[in-house]
């Protein structure tokens, strides 16, 4: 079968490529994983085109890897077994904003920046939970990998904000999930059997999401950042627990950088917001009081003189909190996104510094506190993309922080194939078996992004 000619007959010749120059870009992502082979890239513009491509892939038994912005850094959109990359950026319509029910229905290629700009222009009193990722990443890709945005400490991770989806199943049928399966409104996942879990966290191995409904939230009139600092890492769990018990904040993260020296402390960064001035002022007073009196007083200091440039960065939506201590020539940046229970933070903090130093890097941390509370603990690494030795060191550092994460009772978020293997090695065997059965049922020919979440295959695929 002439795959290229078949793809051209579906989407037209402008939207298919197998030229080496283009495949070069699709065969790698900006992270530290090894490049892998891609045979074709195709950019559909409609759900019917996606259906036809999936049906073709079944006939030809060729893998299909869905791609949004391609920015996980863990190469989740770089095929493990070659085949077609299905670049969804050509489907970029914001289909609906339902103001009263506070949700937006977007196609799979809509970027975070496009949704943000659309809301700012047309619904300035509404907002969505925006990740601190590059603005070109997609709303759908982020929600499907259980990403988190600036409202996650208040409302939960972004996948919890999904109201419904339209999905092209691996066998080509189009299926609706949530209220949109029985109603014109995409306003809720229940009360129905919640099938969204068949597509969230699966890395595109169970279908291609073509539309998604995401919850929107009221945008407050007042926002301010308060920063507090300490040098006692062991205080962190108790402080996080106490602040989240107050139940009053919008966003909450911890940062540290070894350089410059003044950043080499534990900083608690709390974003507060309010619709009324009185409410807002009260929230500020309560948080200052909390830290001042914390643990008998004097252990955590209020940062009186937060630099205006930092204040602006923290108050931006999304905040620009990820500061790397040693930006390197070659611009590489990677992290293990460790979802950790708060009690594990002190040990993770100390061991993460040791890992960074072992591989010749300075340590920098940004951890977002999530609902629960747990934390998205970023073990960050900077490296020179042009220096293979440096990239290899980063892979080793990632592997160590992945293992540490599991040893501390956590899980690796959006893990590359190696991290998935670590998860599956530790997973209850019946759970691993259920994953295999569900995948086999939905995707009998094994065409969807194969190599991910596959216990048997993962070892072969890991370089
Ligand atoms: C500097 C930096 C900061 C970051 N900060 C954050 C942050 O604060 N919060 C956060 O959540 N993330 C963050 N990220 C990680 C990542 O960039 C985001 O989560 C991003 O939103 C992922 O979306 P994407 O469009 O790039 O997904 P992609 O990488 O394109 O896809 C992710 C996965 O979903 C699958 N997929 C994509 N689209 C579909 C579809 N339509 N149907 C089925 N499967 C699909 C892909 O196959 C892949 O497995 C950051 C990344 C960087 C580089």
């Amino acid at each position: 079968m002439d795959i290229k000619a078949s793809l051209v007959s579906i989407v037209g010749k402008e939207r298919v490529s197998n030229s080496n120059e283009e495949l070069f870009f699709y065969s790698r992502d900006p992270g530290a994983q090894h490049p892998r082979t891609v045979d074709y890239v195709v950019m559909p513009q409609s759900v019917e085109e996606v259906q036809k491509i999936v049906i073709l892939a079944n006939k030809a038994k060729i893998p299909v890897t869905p791609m949004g912005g391609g920015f996980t850094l863990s190469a989740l959109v770089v095929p493990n077994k070659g085949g077609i990359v299905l670049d969804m950026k050509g489907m970029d319509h914001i289909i609906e904003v339902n103001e009263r029910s506070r949700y937006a229905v977007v196609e799979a290629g809509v970027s975070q920046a496009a949704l943000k700009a659309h809301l700012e222009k047309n619904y300035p009193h509404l907002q969505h939970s925006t990740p601190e990722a590059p603005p070109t990443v997609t709303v759908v890709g982020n929600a499907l990998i259980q990403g988190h945005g600036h409202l996650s400490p208040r409302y939960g991770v972004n996948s919890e904000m999904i109201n419904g989806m339209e999905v092209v199943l691996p066998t080509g049928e189009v299926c609706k999930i949530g209220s949109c399966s029985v109603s014109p409104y995409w306003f809720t996942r229940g009360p129905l059997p919640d099938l969204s879990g068949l597509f969230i966290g699966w890395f595109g191995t169970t279908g291609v999401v073509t539309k998604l409904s995401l919850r929107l939230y009221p945008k407050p009139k007042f926002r301010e950042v308060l920063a507090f600092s300490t040098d006692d890492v062991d205080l962190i769990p108790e402080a996080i627990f106490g602040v989240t018990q107050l139940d009053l904040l919008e966003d909450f993260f911890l940062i540290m950088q070894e350089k410059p020296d003044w950043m080499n402390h534990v900083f608690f960064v709390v974003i507060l917001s309010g619709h009324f001035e009185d409410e807002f002022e009260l929230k500020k007073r309560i948080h200052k009081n909390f830290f001042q009196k914390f643990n008998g007083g004097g252990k955590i200091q209020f940062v009186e003189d937060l630099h205006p440039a930092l204040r602006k960065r923290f108050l931006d939506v999304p905040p620009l909190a990820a500061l790397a201590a040693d930006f390197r020539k070659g611009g590489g940046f990677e992290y293990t996104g460790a979802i950790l229970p708060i009690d594990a933070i002190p040990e993770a903090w100390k061991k993460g510094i040791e890992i960074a130093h072992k591989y010749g890097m300075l340590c920098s941390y940004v951890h977002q506190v999530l609902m629960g509370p747990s934390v998205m603990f970023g073990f960050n690494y900077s490296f020179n993309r042009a220096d293979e030795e440096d990239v290899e060191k980063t892979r080793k550092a990632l592997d160590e922080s992945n293992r540490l994460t599991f040893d501390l009772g956590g899980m690796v978020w959006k893990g590359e194939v190696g991290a998935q293997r670590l998860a599956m090695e530790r997973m209850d065997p019946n759970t691993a078996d259920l994953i295999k059965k569900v995948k086999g049922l939905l995707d009998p020919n094994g065409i969807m992004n194969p190599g991910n979440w596959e216990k048997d295959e993962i070892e072969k695929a890991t370089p």
Side-chain angles (χ1 to χ4, degrees), residues 66-132:
M67 174 187 191
F71 257 105
T72 58
L73 303 178
S74 23
L76 296 179
V77 298
V78 182
N80 289 293
K81 297 185 178 177
I84 302 168
V85 170
L86 191 67
D87 186 337
M88 299 299 287
K89 286 192 275 297
M91 293 176 68
D92 59 355
H93 295 105
I94 297 173
I95 293 167
E96 181 196 355
V97 172
N98 187 315
E99 188 179 6
R100 289 299 159 101
S101 296
R102 287 198 201 97
Y103 65 80
V105 181
V106 298
E107 285 188 323
V110 170
S111 68
Q112 295 288 347
L115 179 59
K116 182 169 179 267
H118 184 78
L119 294 175
E120 278 170 0
K121 184 168 174 217
N122 302 296
Y123 305 91
H125 48 293
L126 293 178
Q127 59 176 339
H128 77 290
S129 179
T130 317
E132 193 195 334

Side-chain angles (χ1 to χ4, degrees), residues 36 80-81 417 421 451 454-463:
R36 299 191 286 252
N80 289 293
K81 297 185 178 177
V417 170
R421 186 190 63 221
E454 286 177 19
K455 200 175 178 186
D456 315 334
E457 292 294 319
I458 270 169
E459 288 208 5
K460 283 187 242 159
T462 308

Side-chain angles (χ1 to χ4, degrees), residues 163 190 449 459:
N163 282 335
N449 206 359
E459 288 208 5

Side-chain angles (χ1 to χ4, degrees), residues 149-227:
H150 77 294
L151 299 178
S152 290
R154 183 155 186 76
Y155 298 111
V157 294
N158 295 354
S159 51
E160 293 170 62
M161 300 172 183
I162 297 174
N163 282 335
M165 299 179 228
E166 176 191 81
V167 190
V168 175
L169 298 179
T171 38
E173 302 89 344
V174 181
C175 192
K176 288 196 167 150
I177 308 294
S179 58
C180 63
S181 65
V182 288
S183 148
Y185 298 102
W186 295 59
F187 65 129
T188 173
R189 268 146 72 162
L192 292 168
D194 190 356
L195 297 173
S196 58
L198 292 174
F199 309 99
I200 296 170
W202 289 79
F203 302 156
T205 60
T206 49
V208 184
V209 174
T210 41
K211 297 187 186 76
L212 183 139
S213 168
L214 193 76
R215 282 185 206 157
L216 304 176
Y217 297 90
K219 194 163 170 181
K221 196 164 164 197
F222 303 96
R223 289 179 85 241
E224 188 51 278
V225 52
L226 299 181

Side-chain angles (χ1 to χ4, degrees), residues 66 68-72 77 131-132 137-138 142 145 147-148 203 207 209 335 413:
F71 257 105
T72 58
V77 298
E132 193 195 334
V137 304
T138 60
N142 178 261
I145 59 163
H148 45 93
F203 302 156
V209 174
Y335 61 106
W413 166 59

